[in-house]
Amino acid sequence: MKTRVKVIVPATSANCGPGFDVLGAACNLYNEFTYELTERGFELEVTGEGSERLYASGKNLAFSSFFRLWNEMTDRRYTGLKVTMHNRIPLSRGLGSSSTAIVAGLMAANYLTGSTLTKEQLVNYATEIEGHPDNVAPALLGGFTVSYMAHNRANSLRFIPAHELRFIAAVPSEPLSTARAREAIPETVSHKDAVFNAGRSALLVSALLTGEYKYLPDALEDRLHQPYRMPLITGTQAVFKAAKNVGAYGAIISGAGSTLMAYASPQADCEKIGAAMKLAFEKAGQQAVYHVLKLDTEGARVVDN
Ligand code: HSE
């Protein structure tokens, strides 16, 4: 009987500009989780991001997602669960840190109960917990994902772009909660804006699949969420402009923010793009750090077992 598993889960960037609540991409920045069945109650050890504000509780997503699946899959008794996390993904910055906890719990429970569910099935459980699929799907499947709901089920089509890309994530000091960033979006939008976004997100997927990256500057534009969220992230316009000025295809608000992410060719000077974005944030009054990231193509995985 297995009692211990280690899972690593990638950061994710939802929306990818125009694909609000639909598109997502996994990046090569990872949180690591070890789950161990014990006889000592709930225990949590955290190093790295969020270590000062996460504690063991049935409400912690790393525990609740584990039990959501465990209780459905087995009658096996346990008297304790120890979760050890090493977090590299900053919290409340639009890089899918809460999705990593949800996905890790589900992956661990699935593994310890005999690995009977596929990752596609886990996307559905994860979406039920998260509320929208666009972070959990790429976190599980890797690559870019197009996710949608049909008959109350989350479905996700994963794809890998024709050519490599780099993602330059500029992470500002100020966090932004997803709830607040969602409240900023109006209930309804104009038909014109809906058409704009339908066109841009179709163009984005086509450009990525065909490798026609000259379309990316237009394809990354959005009118469904970014214009409403920009005022919540000091410096957004300046950071977008700075990234484009030094060679990025374009930049977007990663997920609900507050990270801003530039898309660039591997041949571009990505360090220069990162430095320009950081400087633009600083000029606007916010400290920032940046990461030059690649696409993660595998998604969450069990390691070291
Ligand atoms: N699609 C979601 C949003 C992602 O933009 O609100 C948040 O995690």
Side-chain angles (χ1 to χ4, degrees), residues 90 93 95 169-174 258-260 281 287-291:
R93 298 298 200 293
L95 289 170
V171 185
S173 49
E174 279 297 307
S258 53
T259 292
L260 304 180
F281 257 135
Q287 293 303 305
V289 294
Y290 72 87
H291 305 279

Side-chain angles (χ1 to χ4, degrees), residues 74-115:
T74 181
D75 294 329
R76 242 165 83 193
R77 297 231 161 227
Y78 56 86
T79 52
L81 178 67
K82 179 174 180 183
V83 180
T84 310
M85 295 181 193
H86 180 57
N87 291 340
R88 296 189 184 87
I89 305 168
L91 274 61
S92 301
R93 298 298 200 293
L95 289 170
S97 80
S98 56
S99 294
T100 67
I102 294 170
V103 164
L106 294 172
M107 289 281 291
N110 188 40
Y111 182 84
L112 295 176
T113 56
S115 301

Side-chain angles (χ1 to χ4, degrees), residues 14-15 20-21 132 134-135 178 182 225 229 255-256:
N15 305 326
F20 181 69
D21 277 359
H132 44 84
D134 50 339
N135 284 106
T178 299
R182 288 183 87 84
H225 70 111
R229 288 171 163 175

Side-chain angles (χ1 to χ4, degrees), residues 11 19 23 28 35 40 76 86 105 114 147 208 221 227 283 298 303:
L23 297 178
N28 66 339
Y35 282 78
R40 301 188 300 267
R76 242 165 83 193
H86 180 57
S147 303
L208 291 171
E221 291 177 344
K283 279 189 178 158
E298 253 187 88
V303 291

Side-chain angles (χ1 to χ4, degrees), residues 4 11 30 34 128 133 158 207 218 236 241 264 292 299:
R4 187 176 185 279
Y30 302 95
T34 304
E128 176 199 291
R158 168 190 176 277
D218 289 337
T236 305
K241 206 167 152 204
V292 177

